């Protein structure tokens, strides 16, 4: 890809943007953890029909609900820290 930050340098395989590299590294780690836990890849899961579209949508919904809870918790933590700094 030629989008800013997403291109790999063909000469040495390094990312132009180190932030993008760190995110990709996290994706790789998460993929490895998922494979260890479930013994399959998302592609295999999809192409062998191990999980249907409705289950993917339920999984997405549950993950987004978790994310909202994490955001709320982080906001409360930040507010407490800011309130402590004021005193």
């Amino acid at each position: 890809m030629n989008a800013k930050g997403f291109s790999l340098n063909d000469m040495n395989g390094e990312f132009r943007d180190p932030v993008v590299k760190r995110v990709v590294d996290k994706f790789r780690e998460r993929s490895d953890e998922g494979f260890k836990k479930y013994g399959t890849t998302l592609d295999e899961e999809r192409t062998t029909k191990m999980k249907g579209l409705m289950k993917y949508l339920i999984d997405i919904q549950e993950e987004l609900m978790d994310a909202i809870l994490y955001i709320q918790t982080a906001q409360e933590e930040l507010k407490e820290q800011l309130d402590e700094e004021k005193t």
Side-chain angles (χ1 to χ4, degrees):
M1 280 187 153
N2 290 332
K4 186 174 182 180
F6 291 96
S7 176
L8 284 173
N9 180 328
D10 291 333
M11 298 304 226
N12 58 16
E14 292 183 12
F15 286 87
R16 173 177 38 234
D17 186 335
V19 173
V20 174
K21 181 188 181 319
R22 289 191 293 272
V23 170
V24 170
D25 288 345
K26 287 181 180 186
F27 271 113
R28 286 184 181 139
E29 290 170 13
R30 185 156 175 83
S31 177
D32 289 345
E33 289 172 16
F35 188 79
K36 286 177 191 172
K37 184 174 182 179
Y38 299 107
T40 189
T41 64
L42 286 171
D43 185 63
E44 291 169 341
E45 184 180 82
R46 183 187 64 79
T47 57
T48 61
K49 307 296 185 200
M50 294 170 68
K51 188 188 288 189
L53 181 58
M54 183 57 75
K55 179 60 175 136
Y56 284 117
L57 291 170
I58 290 168
D59 288 348
I60 293 166
Q61 183 181 45
E62 290 172 352
E63 294 292 339
L64 291 172
M65 290 172 12
D66 288 346
I68 289 169
L69 295 174
Y70 296 141
I71 291 168
Q72 181 64 37
T73 303
Q75 287 175 331
E76 291 174 11
E77 178 68 19
L78 181 59
K79 183 180 183 311
E80 284 178 15
Q81 288 178 8
L82 294 173
D83 289 344
E84 288 174 5
E85 289 178 9
K86 290 179 184 177
T87 59

